[in-house]
Amino acid sequence: MKFQCDTAARVPIYRQLMDQVREAMARGRIQPGERLPSVRQLARELVVNPNTIAKAYSELERAGVLNTRPGMGVFIAPPQASLTLEVRRERLIKAINVCLTEAVHLGFTTEEVATTLTQQIEQFQFATASPNPSPKTPAP
Amino acid sequence: MKFQCDTAARVPIYRQLMDQVREAMARGRIQPGERLPSVRQLARELVVNPNTIAKAYSELERAGVLNTRPGMGVFIAPPQASLTLEVRRERLIKAINVCLTEAVHLGFTTEEVATTLTQQIEQFQFATASPNPSPKTPAP
Amino acid sequence: MKFQCDTAARVPIYRQLMDQVREAMARGRIQPGERLPSVRQLARELVVNPNTIAKAYSELERAGVLNTRPGMGVFIAPPQASLTLEVRRERLIKAINVCLTEAVHLGFTTEEVATTLTQQIEQFQFATASPNPSPKTPAP
Amino acid sequence: MKFQCDTAARVPIYRQLMDQVREAMARGRIQPGERLPSVRQLARELVVNPNTIAKAYSELERAGVLNTRPGMGVFIAPPQASLTLEVRRERLIKAINVCLTEAVHLGFTTEEVATTLTQQIEQFQFATASPNPSPKTPAP
DNA sequence: GTGGTCTAGACCACT
DNA sequence: GTGGTCTAGACCACC
């Protein structure tokens, strides 16, 4: 996996790295079990303090997205949805509202948003069946 | 307009207030020319330091969404899209990707996301014509 | 003389009015002895608090630019250069530096600034002889 | 870079600092990528509250002329002209008019203004080619 | 009444 | 070390 970071941005570097891992996973570019570059290697590559890389990795591990196996490296963890359906719904709606608020302020029309969304949604690897199925999709 | 803030959240209070103003505008709940609560009044109401409110307001003014008139109060500014179409497109795609990344990690299916999005999109006041119209939506 | 003010601007209204009087004088659009609209009349016209108009006028009077004759109205005062050449030089250089700093930040070239300046300078009514002549312009 | 501020002046301290940074940049005395003194250091040096320095820096960052990297310091940002030619022209004319109005009121002649301007203009680092070149300056 | 500026001093986040 | 956020409380400018 290829990382990059922008030291001039106001979003902290460790956050940029976390976001990149999460987005790459969501796009299916990296799979569970895959190994990420070591802290030191990535620190050299990005010319960044190793502590910063370590912080990004440890936060992701705390979130259950990565597994660190001492002496072996850092690996993508298998998916695990531990949240209740209610909490997941809330967060989805929140994420959508943030996105739509931005879209309105950028001056786009409903159609333009829908078009762009359709284009982008194909590039993500969505689950084929929800772990806690919603009532909308009754089991056959 | 009704505000609320969570002192315990890791997102700064002034940021929470900014987001609420922006979302309320995007939903059409507050209109250009409308007056917001005064700094002191809102500070008393939320039990927050007036400086914090002032910071939220002044940041929004610099973003061009508010006008503050000393001695008069703070008002919603008329809409003004000064960004190029290219920049606006970039930001829209970025916002959508953040949203979709979150949706995948929450374990939702494509259909669930599409359904929720359709529900939410109706609650926002989108522009009816883009300031820099895209070739995608020819006039009938 | 026609006044206008922008309540949304962050420069105070009384300052906007002062600047308009000063610029109109510098352009020769209003002459010494000419009468300005009364406080009440201008306040009605601009839909502004009379105190605000009064403040603009009294500040200009303090600067020696206006004369208020009670019961008669407000008049443009005859020119009077009471400052030393040294102070006037300092202020001219300061004003020019502010202007040039802005020009550089706007990304203009020297030629573009010179061209625009030549166009604008013709519209102002400069003195034909300096009250405290500089050594550059020896008396014949 | 050397700063100074006048606590007695009616222009706010943070504004004075902003103006000094902008002028130093326009004169080429500080270059993109260069680091400014830290908030705390400058606050000690000028005997001013750190919050005041921070305000100046953060306003300049919002204007796009500085980058602040938490934990690293504050740096001059690479130049970026995002404004349309029309807006830039308007602002240039406005800046020139303010300057000329002042010059007339100080009692200077056209020649004196032209002479002083020629002297000062050499000390600024103007762009050599406009980002949106005007038709006035064809390439030789 | 309104918002704007500044101080003093605290705590946190980032590198 | 760096900057960012928040509080408490003061004074000023504008309308």
Side-chain angles (χ1 to χ4, degrees):
Chain A
M1 157 155 201
K2 234 22 194 164
F3 287 93
Q4 53 186 1
C5 69
D6 175 10
T7 53
R10 59 268 171 254
V11 35
I13 296 174
Y14 86 96
R15 207 61 173 93
Q16 294 180 38
L17 300 178
M18 288 175 65
D19 291 343
Q20 284 174 46
V21 171
R22 286 170 55 86
E23 183 164 336
M25 289 173 66
R27 288 177 182 275
R29 288 189 188 153
I30 48 178
Q31 301 290 340
E34 205 166 311
R35 189 171 174 276
L36 290 180
S38 78
V39 169
R40 289 173 184 176
Q41 179 188 338
L42 188 51
R44 269 198 309 276
E45 194 178 317
L46 298 178
V47 194
V48 156
N49 192 311
N51 290 336
T52 305
I53 312 288
K55 174 157 190 179
Y57 280 176
S58 69
E59 290 271 335
L60 285 169
E61 186 168 20
R62 225 169 44 84
V65 171
L66 295 185
N67 284 328
T68 305
R69 305 182 208 157
M72 303 279 301
V74 182
F75 300 83
I76 304 290
Q80 44 170 353
S82 56
L83 299 170
T84 68
L85 178 58
E86 190 184 359
V87 171
R88 290 166 53 230
R89 277 252 170 83
E90 266 176 24
R91 294 204 185 169
L92 176 61
I93 290 176
K94 178 67 187 164
I96 287 174
N97 287 346
V98 167
C99 172
L100 294 181
T101 296
E102 177 76 357
V104 170
H105 278 278
L106 287 171
F108 288 103
T109 65
T110 315
E111 289 74 27
E112 288 167 326
V113 174
T115 305
T116 311
L117 224 144
T118 312
Q119 290 164 5
Q120 298 297 318
I121 209 168
E122 292 170 2
Q123 301 173 13
F124 286 79
Q125 288 270 331
F126 282 92
T128 50
S130 194
N132 303 333
S134 71
K136 285 277 173 61
T137 53
Chain B
M1 160 157 200
K2 239 23 197 157
F3 287 92
Q4 53 187 0
C5 69
D6 175 7
T7 326
R10 68 282 173 234
V11 36
I13 299 174
Y14 84 95
R15 248 311 194 181
Q16 296 178 38
L17 300 178
M18 288 176 66
D19 291 342
Q20 285 174 46
V21 171
R22 285 170 55 86
E23 184 164 335
M25 287 174 68
R27 289 179 181 274
R29 288 189 187 151
I30 46 179
Q31 301 290 339
E34 203 166 313
R35 189 168 177 277
L36 291 179
S38 83
V39 168
R40 289 154 156 85
Q41 178 188 338
L42 188 51
R44 274 195 308 271
E45 196 177 317
L46 298 179
V47 195
V48 155
N49 191 290
N51 287 337
T52 304
I53 312 289
K55 177 162 190 179
Y57 280 176
S58 70
E59 293 263 350
L60 285 169
E61 179 172 34
R62 249 167 276 121
V65 305
L66 294 186
N67 282 329
T68 109
R69 314 180 198 165
M72 300 289 301
V74 180
F75 301 81
I76 305 289
Q80 44 169 350
S82 57
L83 297 172
T84 67
L85 180 57
E86 191 185 357
V87 171
R88 290 167 52 230
R89 281 245 169 85
E90 268 175 24
R91 296 203 185 169
L92 176 62
I93 290 177
K94 179 67 186 166
I96 288 174
N97 287 345
V98 167
C99 171
L100 294 182
T101 296
E102 178 76 357
V104 171
H105 279 278
L106 287 171
F108 287 102
T109 66
T110 314
E111 289 73 28
E112 288 167 326
V113 173
T115 305
T116 311
L117 222 143
T118 311
Q119 291 165 3
Q120 298 297 318
I121 209 168
E122 291 170 2
Q123 302 173 12
F124 286 80
Q125 288 268 334
F126 281 92
T128 51
S130 193
N132 302 332
S134 72
K136 286 277 174 60
T137 54
Chain C
M1 159 158 198
K2 234 25 195 162
F3 286 93
Q4 54 186 1
C5 68
D6 175 10
T7 53
R10 59 269 171 252
V11 35
I13 296 174
Y14 86 96
R15 206 66 173 88
Q16 294 180 39
L17 300 179
M18 288 176 65
D19 291 343
Q20 285 175 46
V21 172
R22 286 170 55 86
E23 184 164 336
M25 288 174 67
R27 287 178 182 275
R29 288 189 187 152
I30 48 178
Q31 301 290 340
E34 205 166 311
R35 190 171 174 275
L36 290 181
S38 78
V39 168
R40 288 172 185 175
Q41 178 188 339
L42 189 51
R44 270 198 309 276
E45 194 179 318
L46 298 178
V47 195
V48 156
N49 192 311
N51 291 334
T52 305
I53 311 289
K55 175 158 190 178
Y57 280 177
S58 68
E59 290 271 335
L60 285 170
E61 186 169 18
R62 225 169 44 85
V65 171
L66 295 185
N67 284 328
T68 304
R69 307 183 207 158
M72 303 279 301
V74 182
F75 300 83
I76 306 290
Q80 44 170 351
S82 55
L83 299 170
T84 69
L85 179 57
E86 190 184 358
V87 171
R88 291 165 53 230
R89 277 253 169 81
E90 267 176 24
R91 294 205 186 167
L92 176 62
I93 290 177
K94 179 66 187 166
I96 288 174
N97 287 345
V98 167
C99 172
L100 293 181
T101 296
E102 178 76 358
V104 171
H105 278 278
L106 287 171
F108 288 103
T109 66
T110 315
E111 289 74 28
E112 288 167 326
V113 173
T115 305
T116 310
L117 224 143
T118 312
Q119 290 165 5
Q120 299 297 318
I121 210 169
E122 292 170 2
Q123 302 172 14
F124 286 80
Q125 289 269 333
F126 281 93
T128 50
S130 194
N132 304 334
S134 71
K136 286 277 172 62
T137 53
Chain D
M1 158 155 201
K2 237 26 196 157
F3 286 93
Q4 53 186 0
C5 69
D6 174 8
T7 325
R10 68 277 174 240
V11 35
I13 299 174
Y14 84 95
R15 252 292 189 200
Q16 296 178 37
L17 300 178
M18 288 176 67
D19 291 343
Q20 285 174 47
V21 172
R22 285 170 56 85
E23 183 164 335
M25 288 175 68
R27 289 179 182 274
R29 288 189 187 152
I30 47 179
Q31 301 289 339
E34 204 166 312
R35 189 168 176 277
L36 291 178
S38 84
V39 168
R40 289 153 156 85
Q41 178 189 338
L42 188 52
R44 274 195 309 273
E45 196 177 316
L46 298 179
V47 195
V48 155
N49 191 291
N51 286 337
T52 305
I53 311 289
K55 178 162 189 179
Y57 280 175
S58 70
E59 292 264 350
L60 286 169
E61 179 172 33
R62 248 168 277 119
V65 305
L66 294 186
N67 283 328
T68 108
R69 313 180 198 163
M72 300 289 300
V74 181
F75 301 82
I76 304 289
Q80 43 170 352
S82 58
L83 297 172
T84 67
L85 180 57
E86 191 185 355
V87 172
R88 290 166 52 229
R89 280 246 169 84
E90 269 174 23
R91 296 203 186 170
L92 176 61
I93 290 177
K94 179 68 186 165
I96 287 175
N97 286 344
V98 168
C99 172
L100 294 182
T101 296
E102 177 76 357
V104 170
H105 278 278
L106 287 171
F108 287 103
T109 66
T110 315
E111 289 73 29
E112 288 167 326
V113 173
T115 305
T116 311
L117 223 143
T118 312
Q119 290 165 3
Q120 297 298 317
I121 209 169
E122 290 170 2
Q123 302 173 12
F124 285 80
Q125 289 268 332
F126 281 92
T128 51
S130 192
N132 302 332
S134 74
K136 287 275 173 65
T137 54

